[in-house]
Amino acid sequence: MIPALRERIAKGDAVASCQLAREFDFCEGAEDKAEYLSRIDTHRKTPPSPDRTDPASTLTDLAKIRAEYCVGVSTISPAERIGLWRQAALKGHVSSMLQYGSGLAFGYNQTLATVDELRTYKSEGPELVERVAQKGGFQANLMLARAYAPHLTAPDRMPLLRQAVAKSASTSLAYYKIAKELRSTTTETAPTDLALETEMKPLLWSMSPQELAESEQKFRFLRGKIERGDRAIVDIDALNNADVNQPVPGMELCGSGGVLR
């Protein structure tokens, strides 16, 4: 599979670049995790009850399947893996634009190995998310609303995006208003209306009348930039969460959203 994907990448195929990055993400540490869970199973003192499913055994079996799938997959550097995500994102592949632009492509344990890539990301990441937001993507607008907020308004799942933008309460509120408008018609995973209101309230309470007026202007400006026609809809939250319980990496994320021209 990997040589075939690399051949497609050489021909400029953004979907192949996304899928290869996903394969390497999926296989990162797969064999070590399977071995670790297997050792835990070996040392367990209490056997599982025969009349119910044992969660530990289920996890171990899943890890073994993943490890078998990943046998022979050579490891690549974090920089090369991130480069694959970036390559697809810059070609307009919507899923990759969100995966890279949100900072999710970097992971949590390899920051020092990707210092140069982080510098590049800081200048490119927010713009990629903004492009998807302008295509009417609900989650893209919500990402930006949370990123621009001067103080945390939701769990900080995308700290890199927050660090890559200049904090602005008026910009944050403008994106929140757009997200609220899009929420009722999107098929993407979305907070309830009440949850969105709860996120927005502390922001509203902290803003001056001048900031509120600026926010209204920004809201009208940003809403005017949303392109008519088909939306760029990619449920990046659901698609990333799906891989946690899958024995092999799915094609759904890289096959969703299409490519922006």
Side-chain angles (χ1 to χ4, degrees):
M1 180 189 292
I2 290 175
L5 287 172
R6 289 199 181 279
E7 186 176 335
R8 287 168 53 194
I9 291 169
K11 295 176 181 177
D13 189 332
V15 176
S17 183
C18 172
Q19 190 61 31
L20 185 56
R22 199 155 168 74
E23 297 287 335
F24 283 123
D25 277 353
F26 187 86
C27 288
E28 179 71 30
E31 293 184 49
D32 291 341
K33 184 175 182 180
E35 184 181 347
Y36 170 74
L37 289 173
S38 180
R39 287 202 304 270
I40 290 178
D41 263 5
T42 301
H43 291 91
R44 280 171 54 197
K45 294 180 179 179
T46 306
S49 171
D51 60 348
R52 65 182 177 87
T53 302
D54 180 31
S57 295
T58 303
L59 285 173
T60 303
D61 291 342
L62 179 62
K64 285 178 181 177
I65 296 171
R66 291 172 73 120
E68 289 171 5
Y69 175 87
C70 294
V71 167
V73 176
S74 59
T75 57
I76 62 172
S77 69
E80 184 180 352
R81 180 179 51 77
I82 291 165
L84 288 167
W85 283 117
R86 176 175 178 266
Q87 185 177 355
L90 293 180
K91 288 182 180 296
H93 184 251
V94 176
S95 296
S96 300
M97 291 170 78
L98 289 179
Q99 189 78 356
Y100 177 77
S102 66
L104 289 171
F106 283 80
Y108 297 100
N109 300 313
Q110 299 170 323
T111 305
L112 292 178
T114 56
V115 173
D116 291 338
E117 287 69 31
L118 284 168
R119 290 195 188 97
T120 302
Y121 164 80
K122 186 175 181 180
S123 64
E124 294 176 340
E127 183 180 347
L128 290 166
V129 181
E130 286 166 8
R131 283 187 62 196
V132 181
Q134 288 169 16
K135 293 292 290 184
F138 167 79
Q139 287 184 6
N141 278 283
L142 185 58
M143 284 178 192
L144 291 166
R146 291 170 171 172
Y148 276 102
H151 305 288
L152 284 179
T153 54
D156 197 8
R157 292 186 56 248
M158 297 169 187
L160 292 183
L161 184 59
R162 279 184 53 79
Q163 295 173 56
V165 301
K167 297 294 178 284
S168 168
S170 59
T171 304
S172 172
L173 183 58
Y175 275 117
Y176 264 120
K177 287 180 177 178
I178 293 173
K180 192 175 179 182
E181 283 192 352
L182 294 171
R183 187 206 166 278
S184 61
T185 56
T186 190
T187 57
E188 301 168 73
T189 300
T192 63
D193 281 333
L194 178 60
L196 270 182
E197 289 284 353
T198 302
E199 287 187 32
M200 293 169 66
K201 277 182 181 178
L203 190 64
L204 283 164
W205 292 337
S206 69
M207 294 172 67
S208 67
Q210 182 180 351
E211 287 176 316
L212 290 169
E214 289 175 358
S215 180
E216 185 61 27
Q217 288 182 335
K218 288 183 179 180
F219 165 64
R220 291 173 184 170
F221 172 73
L222 292 171
R223 185 170 61 175
K225 291 179 70 176
I226 294 180
E227 300 173 19
R228 305 302 174 190
D230 293 339
R231 292 183 184 175
I233 296 176
V234 174
D235 197 337
I236 201 77
D237 282 347
L239 292 170
N240 272 297
N241 291 335
D243 260 2
V244 174
N245 298 311
Q246 292 185 152
V248 298
M251 296 291 292
E252 296 85 2
L253 189 147
C254 293
S256 299
V259 178
L260 301 186
R261 302 298 179 186

